[in-house]
Amino acid sequence: MTFTDELRQKADPIWEASFNHPFVQGLGDSTLPLDRFRYYVLQDAYYLSHFARAQALAAAKADSLEVTNSMAKHVQGTYEAELDLHRTFMKQLNISEKDQQSFEPAPTAYAYTSHMYRASQFGQLGDVIAAILPCYWLYAEIGEQLKHKTPKEPVYQTWIKAYHSDWFMTLVKEQIDRLDQLAETASEAEKERWADLFLKSSQYEYLFWEMAYTLEKWPMEAYRKVSVTN
Ligand SMILES: Cc1ncc(CN)c(N)n1
């Protein structure tokens, strides 16, 4: 069994909770209220803009130029493909400039991106990959599970197609192989740390659906938003 097979097995109950979450089920059968998806798109654009930076930190931490180059291509993919998809959703869902300017990251979006930065800042390449891998892999499995669904809502169809695509699957496989390769020469302590990061990100993925489904807010209104980095 490979290292990532072990991680996948350990994360299974957490991933099952994501598969069964009403947000994910609602994408497949169109029972997801559009206001929840709208909220998700804004929070996810924030998430992806920081995810791209975690990918860039992985590029900088690589000890071979090939891996730096490959991770830089992943940054470009996040910017040109996934974030572009979100820009399309924003147009389709009439999310205005004003909505975008008044956007505040919700507690979970803020915590999940902070978790990725923690791994990127204090860890090595393996730590960053372990922290970002559920982001790739879980979505690919959700895309696989929903691929035969034909939701009435066209925006949900587009979402499913994006994550059930050869383009996305290639990126996922690359990161799985990269972590397995790193694990071959890693110490037990490193692998335990990577497992912990992977499982925490898996929990955050679940929390992200919950955040969007419940339109999560900070418990107390901020006195004044100064600026949000996007
Ligand atoms: C929160 C989250 N996790 C994963 C993905 C897929 N890259 C995403 N768009 N958003």
Side-chain angles (χ1 to χ4, degrees):
M1 197 191 262
T2 64
F3 177 62
T4 57
D5 286 339
E6 279 174 41
L7 294 184
R8 177 65 188 86
Q9 207 171 57
K10 284 194 181 118
D12 199 53
I14 313 171
W15 287 30
E16 278 297 322
S18 272
F19 300 148
N20 295 323
H21 195 281
F23 189 103
V24 174
Q25 292 294 318
L27 286 169
D29 60 17
S30 248
T31 53
L32 178 68
L34 211 51
D35 65 328
R36 319 284 156 104
F37 189 75
R38 208 171 180 274
Y39 173 102
Y40 164 85
V41 166
L42 276 165
Q43 296 292 335
D44 204 44
Y46 169 85
Y47 169 83
L48 287 171
S49 70
H50 293 288
F51 175 74
R53 291 174 178 117
Q55 290 172 313
L57 288 165
K61 282 177 187 257
D63 56 12
S64 87
L65 197 54
E66 281 72 28
V67 176
T68 300
N69 183 43
S70 157
M71 286 308 304
K73 285 186 189 155
H74 281 244
V75 177
Q76 203 173 4
T78 301
Y79 182 75
E80 287 179 358
E82 274 196 271
L83 274 164
D84 196 51
L85 181 71
H86 281 59
R87 284 186 278 271
T88 310
F89 288 152
M90 289 199 198
K91 273 194 209 119
Q92 289 171 336
L93 300 171
N94 294 321
I95 299 175
S96 66
E97 281 289 317
K98 199 164 152 243
D99 292 331
Q100 291 175 53
Q101 277 159 12
S102 61
F103 166 83
E104 289 265 19
T108 298
Y110 188 76
Y112 190 7
T113 51
S114 303
H115 161 70
M116 289 190 304
Y117 279 131
R118 186 189 177 98
S120 314
Q121 203 61 41
F122 298 117
Q124 307 301 321
L125 177 64
D127 295 82
V128 193
I129 304 296
I132 64 176
L133 185 55
C135 168
Y136 288 86
W137 197 354
L138 177 77
Y139 271 53
E141 287 204 13
I142 291 174
E144 179 64 28
Q145 289 200 7
L146 298 183
K147 71 180 177 195
H148 295 306
K149 300 274 184 184
T150 48
K152 283 195 303 288
E153 174 53 58
V155 175
Y156 300 167
Q157 282 178 24
T158 309
W159 190 94
I160 294 170
K161 270 204 201 106
Y163 292 111
H164 178 66
S165 63
D166 292 344
W167 163 76
F168 194 64
M169 211 50 223
T170 308
L171 298 181
V172 178
K173 289 214 173 95
E174 231 180 270
Q175 299 296 36
I176 290 175
D177 292 347
R178 180 162 295 130
L179 194 61
D180 280 330
Q181 219 175 344
L182 290 166
E184 278 171 20
T185 53
S187 67
E188 283 309 309
E190 280 172 315
K191 285 192 275 187
E192 267 176 38
R193 207 171 63 223
W194 298 351
D196 185 58
L197 289 164
F198 184 90
L199 293 173
K200 282 200 171 71
S201 293
S202 299
Q203 301 252 20
Y204 274 124
E205 287 292 342
Y206 168 79
L207 286 169
F208 211 87
W209 307 122
E210 187 63 12
M211 169 200 75
Y213 200 69
T214 59
L215 306 173
E216 184 188 77
K217 289 186 181 55
W218 291 93
M220 266 142 295
E221 195 154 323
Y223 58 94
R224 182 72 208 111
K225 180 171 77 96
V226 180
S227 76
V228 175
T229 312
N230 275 312

